[in-house]
Amino acid sequence: MMRLALLAITLTLSACGGGSMVVNADNAATPAEPANAANVAAPAPAPSVKLGDFELNQLIRAFGTEPFWTLDLGPGDMIFTDNAVETPKPEPFYWVAPVVAGDTATYTTKNVAGDPVVLVLTRKDCLEVGEPEDTQPLTAKLTIGTKVRTGCAGPKPKDEPDEEMENTTTP
């Protein structure tokens, strides 16, 4: 009789949207695995964000000389390194998605110290230094507080490790 009552309660909960229940050997009700767990849809990929023909949902490196600096961007990550100092160390910025308008993408955020940070990428070929084959597809203007740095940007070189791109800082 007790098993019949437990079965009735289990069926009632299942019918009310409480999910499937399984009664184990100890007469304890436990949630069942969904029968179609393998058929659950994978999350949709992030929508494509482009600046002209340049895909912004990839690993990007903005960089400049005089002073030397880099800013590595990837979905969810922004890591700045000021290579003009004696001991450069990566500094995370809070991740924001870009606002794309015309041929520019603007990232407005702040660093961990709370200084305002604005990165403006423009879809215009850029040659910071070097040979014409080193031309990058974007120009970059990085403002941190009152300091303005200019340079180029493009896909992050594939021969460099991505371990520094592990910032999950959110505002």
Side-chain angles (χ1 to χ4, degrees), residues 66-103:
E66 305 300 326
F68 292 97
W69 60 274
T70 60
L71 177 61
D72 289 331
L73 303 158
D77 293 309
M78 297 179 86
I79 307 291
F80 171 74
T81 305
D82 183 355
N83 294 305
V85 298
E86 189 171 320
T87 309
K89 69 178 190 180
E91 174 188 355
F93 294 160
Y94 291 103
W95 168 253
V96 293
V99 174
V100 178
D103 63 348

PDB file of all heavy atoms in Angstrom, residues 66-103:
ATOM      1  N   GLU A  66      56.359  53.311 -29.557  1.00  0.00           N
ATOM      2  CA  GLU A  66      56.616  54.672 -29.048  1.00  0.00           C
ATOM      3  C   GLU A  66      55.418  55.234 -28.301  1.00  0.00           C
ATOM      4  O   GLU A  66      54.836  56.218 -28.761  1.00  0.00           O
ATOM      5  CB  GLU A  66      57.076  55.594 -30.168  1.00  0.00           C
ATOM      6  CG  GLU A  66      58.285  55.101 -30.936  1.00  0.00           C
ATOM      7  CD  GLU A  66      59.532  54.893 -30.067  1.00  0.00           C
ATOM      8  OE1 GLU A  66      59.740  55.642 -29.104  1.00  0.00           O
ATOM      9  OE2 GLU A  66      60.290  53.967 -30.345  1.00  0.00           O
ATOM     10  N   PRO A  67      54.985  54.718 -27.224  1.00  0.00           N
ATOM     11  CA  PRO A  67      55.542  53.614 -26.437  1.00  0.00           C
ATOM     12  C   PRO A  67      55.019  52.260 -26.944  1.00  0.00           C
ATOM     13  O   PRO A  67      53.975  52.183 -27.568  1.00  0.00           O
ATOM     14  CB  PRO A  67      55.023  53.892 -25.040  1.00  0.00           C
ATOM     15  CG  PRO A  67      53.695  54.532 -25.250  1.00  0.00           C
ATOM     16  CD  PRO A  67      53.861  55.343 -26.510  1.00  0.00           C
ATOM     17  N   PHE A  68      55.763  51.211 -26.624  1.00  0.00           N
ATOM     18  CA  PHE A  68      55.387  49.864 -27.023  1.00  0.00           C
ATOM     19  C   PHE A  68      54.290  49.337 -26.089  1.00  0.00           C
ATOM     20  O   PHE A  68      54.439  49.380 -24.868  1.00  0.00           O
ATOM     21  CB  PHE A  68      56.604  48.929 -26.978  1.00  0.00           C
ATOM     22  CG  PHE A  68      57.625  49.263 -28.019  1.00  0.00           C
ATOM     23  CD1 PHE A  68      58.724  50.041 -27.702  1.00  0.00           C
ATOM     24  CD2 PHE A  68      57.476  48.808 -29.316  1.00  0.00           C
ATOM     25  CE1 PHE A  68      59.677  50.362 -28.664  1.00  0.00           C
ATOM     26  CE2 PHE A  68      58.408  49.127 -30.279  1.00  0.00           C
ATOM     27  CZ  PHE A  68      59.515  49.899 -29.962  1.00  0.00           C
ATOM     28  N   TRP A  69      53.208  48.839 -26.678  1.00  0.00           N
ATOM     29  CA  TRP A  69      52.084  48.311 -25.902  1.00  0.00           C
ATOM     30  C   TRP A  69      51.347  47.268 -26.731  1.00  0.00           C
ATOM     31  O   TRP A  69      51.470  47.244 -27.962  1.00  0.00           O
ATOM     32  CB  TRP A  69      51.114  49.415 -25.477  1.00  0.00           C
ATOM     33  CG  TRP A  69      50.507  50.154 -26.647  1.00  0.00           C
ATOM     34  CD1 TRP A  69      51.049  51.228 -27.297  1.00  0.00           C
ATOM     35  CD2 TRP A  69      49.277  49.870 -27.303  1.00  0.00           C
ATOM     36  NE1 TRP A  69      50.232  51.630 -28.324  1.00  0.00           N
ATOM     37  CE2 TRP A  69      49.122  50.817 -28.351  1.00  0.00           C
ATOM     38  CE3 TRP A  69      48.275  48.924 -27.129  1.00  0.00           C
ATOM     39  CZ2 TRP A  69      48.018  50.826 -29.207  1.00  0.00           C
ATOM     40  CZ3 TRP A  69      47.181  48.940 -27.978  1.00  0.00           C
ATOM     41  CH2 TRP A  69      47.049  49.874 -28.998  1.00  0.00           C
ATOM     42  N   THR A  70      50.602  46.391 -26.049  1.00  0.00           N
ATOM     43  CA  THR A  70      49.718  45.441 -26.719  1.00  0.00           C
ATOM     44  C   THR A  70      48.419  45.358 -25.933  1.00  0.00           C
ATOM     45  O   THR A  70      48.385  45.562 -24.713  1.00  0.00           O
ATOM     46  CB  THR A  70      50.320  44.021 -26.817  1.00  0.00           C
ATOM     47  OG1 THR A  70      50.573  43.527 -25.499  1.00  0.00           O
ATOM     48  CG2 THR A  70      51.592  43.994 -27.641  1.00  0.00           C
ATOM     49  N   LEU A  71      47.359  45.067 -26.649  1.00  0.00           N
ATOM     50  CA  LEU A  71      46.059  44.784 -26.038  1.00  0.00           C
ATOM     51  C   LEU A  71      45.501  43.586 -26.769  1.00  0.00           C
ATOM     52  O   LEU A  71      45.208  43.666 -27.968  1.00  0.00           O
ATOM     53  CB  LEU A  71      45.110  45.975 -26.150  1.00  0.00           C
ATOM     54  CG  LEU A  71      43.696  45.742 -25.610  1.00  0.00           C
ATOM     55  CD1 LEU A  71      43.712  45.405 -24.124  1.00  0.00           C
ATOM     56  CD2 LEU A  71      42.831  46.964 -25.855  1.00  0.00           C
ATOM     57  N   ASP A  72      45.417  42.446 -26.069  1.00  0.00           N
ATOM     58  CA  ASP A  72      44.869  41.232 -26.653  1.00  0.00           C
ATOM     59  C   ASP A  72      43.395  41.141 -26.302  1.00  0.00           C
ATOM     60  O   ASP A  72      43.017  41.248 -25.131  1.00  0.00           O
ATOM     61  CB  ASP A  72      45.625  39.997 -26.151  1.00  0.00           C
ATOM     62  CG  ASP A  72      47.033  39.912 -26.726  1.00  0.00           C
ATOM     63  OD1 ASP A  72      47.241  40.409 -27.846  1.00  0.00           O
ATOM     64  OD2 ASP A  72      47.917  39.343 -26.061  1.00  0.00           O
ATOM     65  N   LEU A  73      42.593  40.940 -27.339  1.00  0.00           N
ATOM     66  CA  LEU A  73      41.143  40.843 -27.184  1.00  0.00           C
ATOM     67  C   LEU A  73      40.690  39.484 -27.662  1.00  0.00           C
ATOM     68  O   LEU A  73      41.159  38.988 -28.680  1.00  0.00           O
ATOM     69  CB  LEU A  73      40.425  41.878 -28.069  1.00  0.00           C
ATOM     70  CG  LEU A  73      40.751  43.327 -27.905  1.00  0.00           C
ATOM     71  CD1 LEU A  73      40.379  44.087 -29.159  1.00  0.00           C
ATOM     72  CD2 LEU A  73      39.962  43.864 -26.743  1.00  0.00           C
ATOM     73  N   GLY A  74      39.761  38.923 -26.953  1.00  0.00           N
ATOM     74  CA  GLY A  74      39.096  37.703 -27.375  1.00  0.00           C
ATOM     75  C   GLY A  74      37.737  37.728 -26.737  1.00  0.00           C
ATOM     76  O   GLY A  74      37.524  38.466 -25.769  1.00  0.00           O
ATOM     77  N   PRO A  75      36.802  36.984 -27.258  1.00  0.00           N
ATOM     78  CA  PRO A  75      35.475  37.002 -26.639  1.00  0.00           C
ATOM     79  C   PRO A  75      35.580  36.778 -25.125  1.00  0.00           C
ATOM     80  O   PRO A  75      36.059  35.759 -24.675  1.00  0.00           O
ATOM     81  CB  PRO A  75      34.737  35.856 -27.339  1.00  0.00           C
ATOM     82  CG  PRO A  75      35.429  35.770 -28.675  1.00  0.00           C
ATOM     83  CD  PRO A  75      36.868  36.086 -28.392  1.00  0.00           C
ATOM     84  N   GLY A  76      35.226  37.784 -24.353  1.00  0.00           N
ATOM     85  CA  GLY A  76      35.275  37.712 -22.891  1.00  0.00           C
ATOM     86  C   GLY A  76      36.576  38.160 -22.268  1.00  0.00           C
ATOM     87  O   GLY A  76      36.698  38.187 -21.051  1.00  0.00           O
ATOM     88  N   ASP A  77      37.587  38.520 -23.070  1.00  0.00           N
ATOM     89  CA  ASP A  77      38.900  38.852 -22.536  1.00  0.00           C
ATOM     90  C   ASP A  77      39.452  40.144 -23.119  1.00  0.00           C
ATOM     91  O   ASP A  77      39.338  40.395 -24.316  1.00  0.00           O
ATOM     92  CB  ASP A  77      39.910  37.748 -22.865  1.00  0.00           C
ATOM     93  CG  ASP A  77      39.611  36.456 -22.157  1.00  0.00           C
ATOM     94  OD1 ASP A  77      39.433  36.472 -20.941  1.00  0.00           O
ATOM     95  OD2 ASP A  77      39.555  35.413 -22.837  1.00  0.00           O
ATOM     96  N   MET A  78      40.096  40.930 -22.272  1.00  0.00           N
ATOM     97  CA  MET A  78      40.852  42.108 -22.692  1.00  0.00           C
ATOM     98  C   MET A  78      42.067  42.204 -21.774  1.00  0.00           C
ATOM     99  O   MET A  78      41.920  42.431 -20.584  1.00  0.00           O
ATOM    100  CB  MET A  78      40.012  43.383 -22.561  1.00  0.00           C
ATOM    101  CG  MET A  78      38.788  43.425 -23.432  1.00  0.00           C
ATOM    102  SD  MET A  78      37.815  44.933 -23.205  1.00  0.00           S
ATOM    103  CE  MET A  78      38.648  46.018 -24.360  1.00  0.00           C
ATOM    104  N   ILE A  79      43.268  42.020 -22.343  1.00  0.00           N
ATOM    105  CA  ILE A  79      44.494  42.038 -21.542  1.00  0.00           C
ATOM    106  C   ILE A  79      45.458  43.057 -22.147  1.00  0.00           C
ATOM    107  O   ILE A  79      45.907  42.908 -23.285  1.00  0.00           O
ATOM    108  CB  ILE A  79      45.182  40.650 -21.513  1.00  0.00           C
ATOM    109  CG1 ILE A  79      44.229  39.551 -21.074  1.00  0.00           C
ATOM    110  CG2 ILE A  79      46.429  40.700 -20.635  1.00  0.00           C
ATOM    111  CD1 ILE A  79      43.809  39.600 -19.642  1.00  0.00           C
ATOM    112  N   PHE A  80      45.802  44.090 -21.376  1.00  0.00           N
ATOM    113  CA  PHE A  80      46.711  45.150 -21.809  1.00  0.00           C
ATOM    114  C   PHE A  80      48.088  44.914 -21.208  1.00  0.00           C
ATOM    115  O   PHE A  80      48.208  44.543 -20.040  1.00  0.00           O
ATOM    116  CB  PHE A  80      46.178  46.512 -21.351  1.00  0.00           C
ATOM    117  CG  PHE A  80      47.142  47.643 -21.557  1.00  0.00           C
ATOM    118  CD1 PHE A  80      47.371  48.142 -22.825  1.00  0.00           C
ATOM    119  CD2 PHE A  80      47.812  48.202 -20.482  1.00  0.00           C
ATOM    120  CE1 PHE A  80      48.266  49.193 -23.023  1.00  0.00           C
ATOM    121  CE2 PHE A  80      48.701  49.250 -20.666  1.00  0.00           C
ATOM    122  CZ  PHE A  80      48.931  49.745 -21.946  1.00  0.00           C
ATOM    123  N   THR A  81      49.130  45.149 -22.004  1.00  0.00           N
ATOM    124  CA  THR A  81      50.501  45.087 -21.500  1.00  0.00           C
ATOM    125  C   THR A  81      51.245  46.317 -21.982  1.00  0.00           C
ATOM    126  O   THR A  81      51.305  46.583 -23.184  1.00  0.00           O
ATOM    127  CB  THR A  81      51.230  43.809 -21.990  1.00  0.00           C
ATOM    128  OG1 THR A  81      50.461  42.660 -21.618  1.00  0.00           O
ATOM    129  CG2 THR A  81      52.615  43.701 -21.371  1.00  0.00           C
ATOM    130  N   ASP A  82      51.784  47.063 -21.034  1.00  0.00           N
ATOM    131  CA  ASP A  82      52.600  48.238 -21.347  1.00  0.00           C
ATOM    132  C   ASP A  82      54.047  47.765 -21.386  1.00  0.00           C
ATOM    133  O   ASP A  82      54.690  47.590 -20.355  1.00  0.00           O
ATOM    134  CB  ASP A  82      52.408  49.321 -20.285  1.00  0.00           C
ATOM    135  CG  ASP A  82      53.180  50.594 -20.588  1.00  0.00           C
ATOM    136  OD1 ASP A  82      53.956  50.619 -21.572  1.00  0.00           O
ATOM    137  OD2 ASP A  82      53.002  51.569 -19.839  1.00  0.00           O
ATOM    138  N   ASN A  83      54.555  47.545 -22.590  1.00  0.00           N
ATOM    139  CA  ASN A  83      55.918  47.034 -22.753  1.00  0.00           C
ATOM    140  C   ASN A  83      56.969  48.132 -22.654  1.00  0.00           C
ATOM    141  O   ASN A  83      58.158  47.859 -22.780  1.00  0.00           O
ATOM    142  CB  ASN A  83      56.042  46.297 -24.092  1.00  0.00           C
ATOM    143  CG  ASN A  83      55.193  45.049 -24.106  1.00  0.00           C
ATOM    144  OD1 ASN A  83      55.317  44.198 -23.241  1.00  0.00           O
ATOM    145  ND2 ASN A  83      54.308  44.953 -25.073  1.00  0.00           N
ATOM    146  N   ALA A  84      56.550  49.370 -22.422  1.00  0.00           N
ATOM    147  CA  ALA A  84      57.490  50.479 -22.289  1.00  0.00           C
ATOM    148  C   ALA A  84      58.036  50.594 -20.871  1.00  0.00           C
ATOM    149  O   ALA A  84      58.961  51.356 -20.634  1.00  0.00           O
ATOM    150  CB  ALA A  84      56.818  51.788 -22.694  1.00  0.00           C
ATOM    151  N   VAL A  85      57.477  49.847 -19.934  1.00  0.00           N
ATOM    152  CA  VAL A  85      57.965  49.899 -18.555  1.00  0.00           C
ATOM    153  C   VAL A  85      59.038  48.832 -18.355  1.00  0.00           C
ATOM    154  O   VAL A  85      59.141  47.881 -19.127  1.00  0.00           O
ATOM    155  CB  VAL A  85      56.807  49.721 -17.532  1.00  0.00           C
ATOM    156  CG1 VAL A  85      55.806  50.844 -17.667  1.00  0.00           C
ATOM    157  CG2 VAL A  85      56.152  48.374 -17.671  1.00  0.00           C
ATOM    158  N   GLU A  86      59.812  48.996 -17.289  1.00  0.00           N
ATOM    159  CA  GLU A  86      60.923  48.076 -17.050  1.00  0.00           C
ATOM    160  C   GLU A  86      60.457  46.639 -16.853  1.00  0.00           C
ATOM    161  O   GLU A  86      61.076  45.706 -17.356  1.00  0.00           O
ATOM    162  CB  GLU A  86      61.711  48.539 -15.819  1.00  0.00           C
ATOM    163  CG  GLU A  86      63.002  47.775 -15.631  1.00  0.00           C
ATOM    164  CD  GLU A  86      63.873  48.386 -14.552  1.00  0.00           C
ATOM    165  OE1 GLU A  86      63.954  49.624 -14.489  1.00  0.00           O
ATOM    166  OE2 GLU A  86      64.464  47.617 -13.791  1.00  0.00           O
ATOM    167  N   THR A  87      59.385  46.442 -16.100  1.00  0.00           N
ATOM    168  CA  THR A  87      58.855  45.102 -15.865  1.00  0.00           C
ATOM    169  C   THR A  87      57.394  45.054 -16.321  1.00  0.00           C
ATOM    170  O   THR A  87      56.485  45.303 -15.524  1.00  0.00           O
ATOM    171  CB  THR A  87      58.950  44.731 -14.364  1.00  0.00           C
ATOM    172  OG1 THR A  87      60.284  44.973 -13.910  1.00  0.00           O
ATOM    173  CG2 THR A  87      58.582  43.281 -14.134  1.00  0.00           C
ATOM    174  N   PRO A  88      57.167  44.746 -17.602  1.00  0.00           N
ATOM    175  CA  PRO A  88      55.784  44.707 -18.083  1.00  0.00           C
ATOM    176  C   PRO A  88      54.997  43.587 -17.417  1.00  0.00           C
ATOM    177  O   PRO A  88      55.537  42.504 -17.165  1.00  0.00           O
ATOM    178  CB  PRO A  88      55.918  44.426 -19.578  1.00  0.00           C
ATOM    179  CG  PRO A  88      57.356  44.506 -19.909  1.00  0.00           C
ATOM    180  CD  PRO A  88      58.123  44.440 -18.633  1.00  0.00           C
ATOM    181  N   LYS A  89      53.735  43.861 -17.090  1.00  0.00           N
ATOM    182  CA  LYS A  89      52.877  42.801 -16.569  1.00  0.00           C
ATOM    183  C   LYS A  89      51.481  43.002 -17.153  1.00  0.00           C
ATOM    184  O   LYS A  89      51.005  44.138 -17.283  1.00  0.00           O
ATOM    185  CB  LYS A  89      52.850  42.764 -15.050  1.00  0.00           C
ATOM    186  CG  LYS A  89      52.163  43.896 -14.372  1.00  0.00           C
ATOM    187  CD  LYS A  89      52.182  43.680 -12.872  1.00  0.00           C
ATOM    188  CE  LYS A  89      51.264  44.704 -12.225  1.00  0.00           C
ATOM    189  NZ  LYS A  89      51.188  44.614 -10.814  1.00  0.00           N
ATOM    190  N   PRO A  90      50.846  41.901 -17.540  1.00  0.00           N
ATOM    191  CA  PRO A  90      49.507  41.989 -18.127  1.00  0.00           C
ATOM    192  C   PRO A  90      48.505  42.588 -17.139  1.00  0.00           C
ATOM    193  O   PRO A  90      48.526  42.278 -15.950  1.00  0.00           O
ATOM    194  CB  PRO A  90      49.151  40.539 -18.444  1.00  0.00           C
ATOM    195  CG  PRO A  90      50.458  39.814 -18.466  1.00  0.00           C
ATOM    196  CD  PRO A  90      51.356  40.542 -17.516  1.00  0.00           C
ATOM    197  N   GLU A  91      47.655  43.465 -17.649  1.00  0.00           N
ATOM    198  CA  GLU A  91      46.627  44.117 -16.837  1.00  0.00           C
ATOM    199  C   GLU A  91      45.263  43.855 -17.484  1.00  0.00           C
ATOM    200  O   GLU A  91      45.042  44.250 -18.623  1.00  0.00           O
ATOM    201  CB  GLU A  91      46.900  45.621 -16.789  1.00  0.00           C
ATOM    202  CG  GLU A  91      45.827  46.413 -16.090  1.00  0.00           C
ATOM    203  CD  GLU A  91      46.030  47.925 -16.215  1.00  0.00           C
ATOM    204  OE1 GLU A  91      47.047  48.386 -16.766  1.00  0.00           O
ATOM    205  OE2 GLU A  91      45.138  48.650 -15.757  1.00  0.00           O
ATOM    206  N   PRO A  92      44.357  43.201 -16.769  1.00  0.00           N
ATOM    207  CA  PRO A  92      43.041  42.940 -17.363  1.00  0.00           C
ATOM    208  C   PRO A  92      42.168  44.188 -17.371  1.00  0.00           C
ATOM    209  O   PRO A  92      42.244  45.027 -16.478  1.00  0.00           O
ATOM    210  CB  PRO A  92      42.448  41.870 -16.445  1.00  0.00           C
ATOM    211  CG  PRO A  92      43.104  42.099 -15.123  1.00  0.00           C
ATOM    212  CD  PRO A  92      44.493  42.615 -15.431  1.00  0.00           C
ATOM    213  N   PHE A  93      41.363  44.303 -18.410  1.00  0.00           N
ATOM    214  CA  PHE A  93      40.304  45.299 -18.475  1.00  0.00           C
ATOM    215  C   PHE A  93      38.999  44.533 -18.396  1.00  0.00           C
ATOM    216  O   PHE A  93      38.917  43.372 -18.791  1.00  0.00           O
ATOM    217  CB  PHE A  93      40.336  46.072 -19.792  1.00  0.00           C
ATOM    218  CG  PHE A  93      41.550  46.942 -19.998  1.00  0.00           C
ATOM    219  CD1 PHE A  93      41.903  47.344 -21.272  1.00  0.00           C
ATOM    220  CD2 PHE A  93      42.331  47.378 -18.940  1.00  0.00           C
ATOM    221  CE1 PHE A  93      43.002  48.154 -21.491  1.00  0.00           C
ATOM    222  CE2 PHE A  93      43.436  48.193 -19.141  1.00  0.00           C
ATOM    223  CZ  PHE A  93      43.772  48.580 -20.431  1.00  0.00           C
ATOM    224  N   TYR A  94      37.949  45.177 -17.894  1.00  0.00           N
ATOM    225  CA  TYR A  94      36.644  44.541 -17.868  1.00  0.00           C
ATOM    226  C   TYR A  94      36.159  44.351 -19.305  1.00  0.00           C
ATOM    227  O   TYR A  94      36.228  45.266 -20.119  1.00  0.00           O
ATOM    228  CB  TYR A  94      35.645  45.399 -17.089  1.00  0.00           C
ATOM    229  CG  TYR A  94      35.938  45.438 -15.609  1.00  0.00           C
ATOM    230  CD1 TYR A  94      36.537  46.551 -15.034  1.00  0.00           C
ATOM    231  CD2 TYR A  94      35.618  44.353 -14.804  1.00  0.00           C
ATOM    232  CE1 TYR A  94      36.813  46.589 -13.678  1.00  0.00           C
ATOM    233  CE2 TYR A  94      35.897  44.385 -13.446  1.00  0.00           C
ATOM    234  CZ  TYR A  94      36.490  45.500 -12.888  1.00  0.00           C
ATOM    235  OH  TYR A  94      36.766  45.520 -11.558  1.00  0.00           O
ATOM    236  N   TRP A  95      35.674  43.161 -19.597  1.00  0.00           N
ATOM    237  CA  TRP A  95      35.226  42.847 -20.954  1.00  0.00           C
ATOM    238  C   TRP A  95      33.919  43.578 -21.277  1.00  0.00           C
ATOM    239  O   TRP A  95      33.000  43.635 -20.470  1.00  0.00           O
ATOM    240  CB  TRP A  95      34.997  41.351 -21.141  1.00  0.00           C
ATOM    241  CG  TRP A  95      34.268  41.063 -22.415  1.00  0.00           C
ATOM    242  CD1 TRP A  95      32.970  40.676 -22.547  1.00  0.00           C
ATOM    243  CD2 TRP A  95      34.774  41.191 -23.746  1.00  0.00           C
ATOM    244  NE1 TRP A  95      32.648  40.555 -23.866  1.00  0.00           N
ATOM    245  CE2 TRP A  95      33.738  40.872 -24.629  1.00  0.00           C
ATOM    246  CE3 TRP A  95      36.003  41.559 -24.268  1.00  0.00           C
ATOM    247  CZ2 TRP A  95      33.889  40.891 -26.012  1.00  0.00           C
ATOM    248  CZ3 TRP A  95      36.159  41.579 -25.638  1.00  0.00           C
ATOM    249  CH2 TRP A  95      35.117  41.244 -26.488  1.00  0.00           C
ATOM    250  N   VAL A  96      33.854  44.119 -22.466  1.00  0.00           N
ATOM    251  CA  VAL A  96      32.632  44.689 -23.020  1.00  0.00           C
ATOM    252  C   VAL A  96      32.583  44.316 -24.491  1.00  0.00           C
ATOM    253  O   VAL A  96      33.617  44.152 -25.129  1.00  0.00           O
ATOM    254  CB  VAL A  96      32.557  46.228 -22.884  1.00  0.00           C
ATOM    255  CG1 VAL A  96      32.433  46.653 -21.439  1.00  0.00           C
ATOM    256  CG2 VAL A  96      33.735  46.904 -23.544  1.00  0.00           C
ATOM    257  N   ALA A  97      31.390  44.194 -25.012  1.00  0.00           N
ATOM    258  CA  ALA A  97      31.228  43.972 -26.442  1.00  0.00           C
ATOM    259  C   ALA A  97      31.390  45.317 -27.141  1.00  0.00           C
ATOM    260  O   ALA A  97      31.085  46.365 -26.577  1.00  0.00           O
ATOM    261  CB  ALA A  97      29.857  43.372 -26.728  1.00  0.00           C
ATOM    262  N   PRO A  98      31.858  45.297 -28.375  1.00  0.00           N
ATOM    263  CA  PRO A  98      32.043  46.562 -29.078  1.00  0.00           C
ATOM    264  C   PRO A  98      30.723  47.136 -29.580  1.00  0.00           C
ATOM    265  O   PRO A  98      29.766  46.413 -29.820  1.00  0.00           O
ATOM    266  CB  PRO A  98      32.928  46.169 -30.262  1.00  0.00           C
ATOM    267  CG  PRO A  98      32.541  44.754 -30.543  1.00  0.00           C
ATOM    268  CD  PRO A  98      32.287  44.151 -29.177  1.00  0.00           C
ATOM    269  N   VAL A  99      30.706  48.453 -29.721  1.00  0.00           N
ATOM    270  CA  VAL A  99      29.602  49.132 -30.396  1.00  0.00           C
ATOM    271  C   VAL A  99      30.136  49.456 -31.787  1.00  0.00           C
ATOM    272  O   VAL A  99      31.119  50.194 -31.926  1.00  0.00           O
ATOM    273  CB  VAL A  99      29.190  50.417 -29.647  1.00  0.00           C
ATOM    274  CG1 VAL A  99      28.146  51.191 -30.440  1.00  0.00           C
ATOM    275  CG2 VAL A  99      28.679  50.071 -28.248  1.00  0.00           C
ATOM    276  N   VAL A 100      29.517  48.859 -32.806  1.00  0.00           N
ATOM    277  CA  VAL A 100      29.977  49.047 -34.176  1.00  0.00           C
ATOM    278  C   VAL A 100      29.092  50.089 -34.849  1.00  0.00           C
ATOM    279  O   VAL A 100      27.863  49.986 -34.820  1.00  0.00           O
ATOM    280  CB  VAL A 100      29.940  47.722 -34.957  1.00  0.00           C
ATOM    281  CG1 VAL A 100      30.374  47.926 -36.405  1.00  0.00           C
ATOM    282  CG2 VAL A 100      30.828  46.685 -34.275  1.00  0.00           C
ATOM    283  N   ALA A 101      29.734  51.086 -35.425  1.00  0.00           N
ATOM    284  CA  ALA A 101      29.033  52.133 -36.168  1.00  0.00           C
ATOM    285  C   ALA A 101      29.880  52.479 -37.382  1.00  0.00           C
ATOM    286  O   ALA A 101      31.003  52.977 -37.229  1.00  0.00           O
ATOM    287  CB  ALA A 101      28.797  53.366 -35.301  1.00  0.00           C
ATOM    288  N   GLY A 102      29.353  52.200 -38.557  1.00  0.00           N
ATOM    289  CA  GLY A 102      30.107  52.478 -39.773  1.00  0.00           C
ATOM    290  C   GLY A 102      31.374  51.665 -39.818  1.00  0.00           C
ATOM    291  O   GLY A 102      31.346  50.444 -39.680  1.00  0.00           O
ATOM    292  N   ASP A 103      32.510  52.336 -39.952  1.00  0.00           N
ATOM    293  CA  ASP A 103      33.790  51.635 -40.056  1.00  0.00           C
ATOM    294  C   ASP A 103      34.576  51.634 -38.753  1.00  0.00           C
ATOM    295  O   ASP A 103      35.786  51.428 -38.745  1.00  0.00           O
ATOM    296  CB  ASP A 103      34.633  52.231 -41.192  1.00  0.00           C
ATOM    297  CG  ASP A 103      35.004  53.689 -40.952  1.00  0.00           C
ATOM    298  OD1 ASP A 103      34.435  54.309 -40.034  1.00  0.00           O
ATOM    299  OD2 ASP A 103      35.874  54.204 -41.685  1.00  0.00           O
TER     300      ASP A 103
END
